[in-house]
Amino acid sequence: MIATLQDHISEFCNKIPANVRIIAVTKTVSVEAMRAAYAAGIRDFGENRIQEAEAKRAELRDLTDVTWHFIGHLQSNKAQRAIELFDWIQSVDSLKLAQRLDRLAGERNRKPQICLQVKLRTDPNKAGFSVTELWEAVPQLEALKNLQIRGLMVIPPIDLESAETSELFQQAKELGEKIRSQTALSIDQLSMGMSDDYAIAIQAGATMIRPGRVLFGARS
Ligand SMILES: *Cc1c(COP(=O)(O)O)cnc(C)c1O
């Protein structure tokens, strides 16, 4: 079972261009399955719950070359723990959260890598900066010295047609390029694409994809 999973994940990885980083989304996935993913070459895990990630990190302590990405909505009272547990926080969805993370990171001498979560369509189910909010926040984001603001992260609304998803991903790419050229933020990463749309995301210029189910099967 586990050997089969390893083969399945290896096969998936072989299909992905080498310049695209695969963040295996392991929420609800067992540590045994995560070890199979590691054996298949995965070195990036994405989790959306602090407690779950904490337990898994402890159990997978021996995998010292893994990079951990937080991809869920981060409540402000968990920000401190997130900084201690994660190398990347991909889901920074407000200026207030960014400022809090910056302060906490400074106190702990950490420099976490950050993606700003942007919302390119109105979506009541999703957090994130609107494009207007993002541009308005740029001066304050530029002032945050303890965060390495590296990229944009997008989650399309569910039920988009693939043509619309493609258009949204292209807009994300253009927005990233615009911010990179017009501000002091060194945005060079674009985190987009999950199990159903990773191929569209890669075509639109994703540098990180975040597949879950396509690697590990449906979550219970
Ligand atoms: C769950 C999740 C994923 C993975 O979704 P799948 O449909 O399992 O590929 C990717 N990104 C985020 C932010 C998620 O919450």
Side-chain angles (χ1 to χ4, degrees):
M1 179 53 188
I2 290 291
T4 320
L5 179 60
Q6 180 183 332
D7 288 346
H8 167 71
I9 295 174
S10 290
E11 254 171 63
F12 179 88
C13 294
N14 288 338
K15 291 191 307 198
I16 303 300
N19 58 342
V20 176
R21 191 161 167 180
I22 302 169
I23 318 303
V25 173
T26 49
K27 56 190 187 198
T28 79
V29 169
S30 71
V31 290
E32 290 74 25
M34 290 171 76
R35 285 189 186 278
Y38 183 88
I42 293 287
R43 291 294 179 275
D44 293 274
F45 291 135
E47 290 279 346
N48 69 343
R49 294 231 153 90
I50 298 290
Q51 268 189 324
E52 184 179 342
E54 193 159 20
K56 286 172 170 177
R57 275 208 75 153
E59 286 194 68
L60 298 172
R61 236 183 342 251
D62 55 308
L63 308 184
T64 52
D65 58 347
V66 163
T67 300
W68 293 80
H69 303 252
F70 188 74
I71 59 164
H73 177 64
L74 185 56
Q75 293 165 287
S76 54
N77 62 341
K78 304 255 173 82
Q80 176 174 322
R81 206 64 197 111
I83 284 178
E84 291 159 359
L85 283 168
F86 291 92
D87 309 290
W88 282 79
I89 301 175
Q90 293 211 1
S91 43
V92 175
D93 54 15
S94 71
L95 177 60
K96 209 168 148 209
L97 177 60
Q99 289 171 326
R100 187 183 185 93
L101 289 167
D102 181 70
R103 179 170 54 77
L104 294 166
E107 288 167 10
R108 276 158 197 77
N109 261 322
R110 304 283 294 244
K111 285 206 171 260
Q113 319 229 43
I114 298 294
C115 292
L116 302 170
Q117 184 174 342
V118 289
K119 203 164 52 166
L120 292 163
R121 302 284 184 278
T122 42
D123 183 349
N125 300 314
K126 288 284 176 278
F129 289 86
S130 72
V131 176
T132 311
E133 285 166 345
L134 183 56
W135 283 108
E136 281 172 3
V138 161
Q140 285 117 303
L141 291 168
E142 286 174 335
L144 304 178
K145 297 302 172 216
N146 304 305
L147 302 184
Q148 306 180 61
I149 299 178
R150 294 287 308 279
L152 302 182
M153 193 271 262
V154 294
I155 309 173
I158 44 171
D159 299 336
L160 280 195
E161 301 281 338
S162 59
E164 294 171 313
T165 304
S166 175
E167 190 186 329
L168 185 153
F169 286 158
Q170 285 168 42
Q171 285 170 0
K173 173 157 170 84
E174 283 160 24
L175 179 61
E177 282 170 354
K178 218 165 156 188
I179 290 173
R180 184 186 166 83
S181 64
Q182 298 179 12
T183 77
L185 301 175
S186 317
I187 300 276
D188 61 358
Q189 299 294 316
L190 207 46
S191 173
M192 57 192 196
M194 322 202 292
S195 292
D196 296 327
D197 55 16
Y198 67 86
I200 302 173
I202 291 170
Q203 213 157 32
T207 63
M208 295 179 170
I209 57 172
R210 306 183 313 271
R213 290 167 298 128
V214 73
L215 300 177
F216 300 104
R219 286 179 289 275
S220 44

